[in-house]
Amino acid sequence: MEQYEPERLSPAQVAAMRRSFRNGRAALTRRSLLRASAGGALALGGVGALSACGIPAAGKSQGGVSADDHSATEKTVNFSNWTEYIDVDDSGKHHPTLDAFRERTGITVKYTEDINDNNEFFGKIKPQLAAGQDTGRDIIVLTDWLAARLIRLGWVQKLDPSHLPHAYANLSAQFRNPDWDPGRAYSYVWQGISTVIAYNKKALDGVEVKSVSDLLDNPKLKGRVGFLSEMRDSIGMTLLDMGKDPAKFTDDDFDAVVARIQKAVDKGQIRRFTGNDYTSDLTKGDFAACIAWAGDVVQLKADSPDVDFVIPDSGYMTSTDNMLIPNKARHKTNAERLMDFYYEPQQAADLAAYINYVTPVDGVKPYLAKIDKSAAENPLIIPDQAMAAKSHAFRSLSAKEETAYEEKFAKLTGA
């Protein structure tokens, strides 16, 4: 049985986590709310604190640990999610999709927006999970790297496919087989998060930008290029540009990417590495072009006619926020029914129309078109077949790799 060994934060990991809290994905809200990055993958005092607090190491088990399922007698499900990450009616007091679920099933959802950051939330739930206790939650939504960790530790339950017919049938192909949960045995995607190239047409003044190479090498863009302070996004996009697969790269590949970006830094091509604050640089024209998060671009395009985006021929990076059922959850069947409910195209369309993230559900487009035609035609919300084929995910990292890569990336960004 594999044991959960406490890991110590390297200085680079601490710096990366602080970047995320300060201005990275952890700092964002509303539709530009993206998730705490791999840079914050090990929470401050997080993994090491398990031993420091006297919490025993948890053994890895297959399928997690179930409790007695009270779904039949307790018509409720406790759902923890990120803030501003679900549909809300005009009063701001009700969630129409949750109301529809209750009306159909008789199951009341206790919906709590108590996830503001992956690291912070991990700190909340790890004592109970490590001790084999109920967290009081039936569904939690975590970004892929943290979802992978909980699955690896045996802290979440294996799903019952018979309760998830819509999810099984309608999950988009690009999300079906992450290396950390092949076939989605333990998780289903809540929403996808894409990394693209954004630009300001006015600031470009006729300069063409189609690739990461253009950002790094075109002298006409010197000092007007932005890269993200999130390691997986900036490194992943550059790996693709160099013909490498982010799902299979080696240490040498990583070093080659760092060297390439460092060259651009040294010659002043890159203005700075940013978190979400790139949105201001982009709209003002201080950035002519930058690596950006699609959720932001959807909103920026609505507000600024000069902002647009491009998907490089080499591809783009995608990460996911994922629904999981923690060990000892009291209402596993109810939780699975709610997860499956959001894989019905109508419910997925209602959700996508409000939050504007990448929907993981096939067949949504005609339903979304009845609500918001522009959203239905937006490939940043519903990727077409060609765009989906260009989607790539960053591979899972070992603790050793995490430390080494973050140290190198911190030196590159000057963090």
Side-chain angles (χ1 to χ4, degrees):
M1 181 177 289
E2 185 177 333
Q3 295 293 310
Y4 180 33
E5 296 294 338
E7 305 163 30
R8 291 185 177 275
L9 286 172
S10 70
Q13 288 170 322
V14 172
M17 185 206 68
R18 286 173 178 159
R19 287 199 307 273
S20 189
F21 278 129
R22 210 169 42 237
N23 61 6
R25 294 180 181 181
L28 312 187
T29 57
R30 193 54 186 98
R31 293 176 182 171
S32 62
L33 178 64
L34 298 165
R35 304 299 161 240
S37 73
L42 300 177
L44 184 59
V47 288
L50 282 169
S51 291
C53 295
I55 299 171
K60 179 178 179 179
S61 61
Q62 295 299 317
V65 180
S66 62
D68 291 336
D69 191 347
H70 298 270
S71 295
T73 56
E74 298 177 5
K75 295 295 185 180
T76 187
V77 59
N78 298 309
F79 185 1
S80 282
N81 204 351
W82 295 76
T83 56
E84 307 294 342
Y85 209 20
I86 198 170
D87 54 312
V88 180
D89 68 2
D90 291 340
S91 74
K93 297 178 180 179
H94 299 283
H95 305 295
T97 54
L98 294 182
D99 291 343
F101 177 75
R102 183 190 68 250
E103 290 169 6
R104 180 193 298 181
T105 65
I107 298 169
T108 298
V109 180
K110 182 181 178 182
Y111 186 77
T112 308
E113 295 183 330
D114 59 348
I115 307 178
N116 296 302
D117 173 77
N118 280 296
N119 299 309
E120 179 186 28
F121 188 71
F122 183 62
K124 287 182 183 179
I125 63 176
K126 69 187 177 188
Q128 295 122 307
L129 291 174
Q133 299 172 351
D134 180 13
T135 65
R137 301 168 175 89
D138 301 306
I139 298 178
I140 55 177
V141 177
L142 300 175
T143 305
D144 43 25
W145 61 263
L146 185 54
R149 184 193 298 172
L150 265 64
I151 291 171
R152 187 169 64 247
L153 294 170
W155 286 0
V156 294
Q157 298 186 52
K158 195 168 187 177
L159 302 173
D160 184 341
S162 70
H163 297 156
L164 294 152
H166 295 98
Y168 181 81
N170 296 334
L171 177 63
S172 297
Q174 71 182 103
F175 299 122
R176 282 190 177 271
N177 287 292
D179 63 355
W180 48 271
D181 187 17
R184 293 288 176 181
Y186 297 90
S187 68
Y188 268 96
V189 180
W190 177 248
Q191 297 291 287
I193 305 165
S194 298
T195 305
V196 299
I197 294 176
Y199 58 87
N200 183 307
K201 299 174 189 176
K202 186 175 181 180
L204 282 179
D205 193 26
V207 176
E208 189 173 62
V209 171
K210 290 186 175 181
S211 68
V212 172
S213 288
D214 292 332
L215 299 182
L216 293 172
D217 301 329
N218 191 330
K220 294 181 180 179
L221 299 179
K222 183 177 180 179
R224 300 190 296 140
V225 168
F227 266 56
L228 291 169
S229 58
E230 308 294 357
M231 185 263 286
R232 279 173 168 79
D233 295 308
S234 288
I235 295 294
M237 290 291 283
T238 311
L239 278 167
L240 288 169
D241 189 73
M242 295 174 69
K244 301 296 183 179
D245 186 349
K248 299 177 181 178
F249 68 91
T250 65
D251 288 348
D252 288 343
D253 295 332
F254 187 93
D255 290 344
V257 168
V258 170
R260 186 174 184 209
I261 300 175
Q262 184 67 62
K263 183 178 178 181
V265 170
D266 292 343
K267 68 182 181 182
Q269 184 78 4
I270 296 175
R271 185 183 185 95
R272 66 190 185 103
F273 293 84
T274 73
N276 179 241
D277 47 332
Y278 73 82
T279 57
S280 176
D281 292 277
L282 187 63
T283 54
K284 290 190 298 184
D286 291 340
F287 282 166
C290 62
I291 295 178
W293 293 310
D296 290 334
V297 177
V298 172
Q299 289 303 105
L300 292 176
K301 279 173 59 67
D303 298 332
S304 173
D306 292 325
V307 172
D308 213 333
F309 74 97
V310 64
I311 302 297
D313 288 340
S314 59
Y316 66 100
M317 298 301 297
T318 297
S319 57
T320 54
D321 286 330
N322 310 273
M323 297 179 284
L324 306 103
I325 300 176
N327 286 355
K328 297 289 187 176
R330 287 179 61 87
H331 312 105
K332 181 173 184 285
T333 298
N334 289 347
E336 289 168 336
R337 291 183 69 181
L338 181 59
M339 293 167 70
D340 194 62
F341 178 77
Y342 278 105
Y343 273 80
E344 296 177 12
Q346 182 62 66
Q347 319 310 330
D350 290 341
L351 184 63
Y354 190 83
I355 63 176
N356 289 172
Y357 280 88
V358 178
T359 178
V361 182
D362 281 342
V364 168
K365 190 170 183 176
Y367 294 87
L368 184 56
K370 294 178 182 178
I371 305 169
D372 185 340
K373 188 174 181 180
S374 64
E377 298 298 329
N378 191 332
L380 297 182
I381 299 174
I382 301 182
D384 57 26
Q385 199 168 31
M387 183 171 173
K390 293 183 178 182
S391 171
H392 296 266
F394 205 92
R395 70 172 174 82
S396 299
L397 301 179
S398 68
K400 183 178 178 180
E401 288 175 324
E402 186 87 48
T403 299
Y405 292 169
E406 283 296 349
E407 285 177 349
K408 292 174 181 179
F409 191 69
K411 291 178 181 177
L412 171 67
T413 62

